[in-house]
Amino acid sequence: LDYRIKKAIRSVADALELPLDESDVVLVGYSQGAQRAEDLAWVFPKRYRRVALMSGPAPPETSHVKRTHALAIARGEREYQRPFRIAAERLAATGRSVRYFALPGARHGELGPEGSSVMSELLAHLVE
């Protein structure tokens, strides 16, 4: 997966004739992709330092995300949120840049009616 991501970044850079840095990637994973994003942050912590875990199957393991620079955990308002919110609070209490984002009105597989504004805020958190 890491190889495919790096290859995709190089392809886009070539197509747009822009220099893109494949060593510092903002990674967003949704549902099972959130687990994949967590794993990438764990195995390649220098490359995947800014990570959003959205509607994942389980709250993130502290040891897997401890080296992220910025972390966002997001869930739909109509999904079970409590353990994910608690995980975000515990991670933030360690002094790292971690925020929890609820997607109003959203079920699993949806961003909900305010998805665009929540995603803007989430991405701003990751890159600030």
Side-chain angles (χ1 to χ4, degrees):
L1 185 56
D2 176 63
Y3 170 78
R4 291 187 302 180
I5 291 169
K6 289 189 300 185
K7 187 175 177 180
I9 292 169
R10 285 191 299 270
S11 294
V12 170
D14 290 346
L16 298 177
E17 298 179 355
L18 292 172
L20 296 178
D21 184 3
E22 66 183 56
S23 68
D24 186 15
V25 176
V26 174
L27 187 61
V28 177
Y30 192 97
S31 192
Q32 189 62 35
Q35 184 62 57
R36 299 292 182 258
E38 180 181 329
D39 292 343
L40 284 165
W42 182 31
V43 176
F44 303 101
K46 290 182 181 176
R47 184 173 6 269
Y48 304 107
R49 299 173 37 230
R50 303 166 197 284
V51 181
L53 306 175
M54 300 180 65
S55 296
E61 293 287 333
T62 301
S63 61
H64 293 185
V65 296
K66 69 182 179 183
R67 292 181 281 181
T68 56
H69 173 74
L71 178 67
I73 300 171
R75 301 279 292 173
E77 187 178 64
R78 294 182 179 178
E79 294 182 275
Y80 188 57
Q81 296 183 53
R82 188 168 189 269
F84 297 86
R85 190 179 296 274
I86 290 169
E89 289 169 3
R90 286 183 180 156
L91 288 163
T94 66
R96 288 197 306 285
S97 180
V98 180
R99 282 190 55 196
Y100 182 84
F101 294 85
L103 292 154
R107 293 181 177 90
H108 192 79
E110 301 174 345
L111 292 179
E114 296 177 41
S116 181
S117 62
V118 173
M119 288 304 297
S120 292
E121 189 177 344
L122 182 151
L123 291 171
H125 164 71
L126 294 178
V127 299
E128 60 184 30

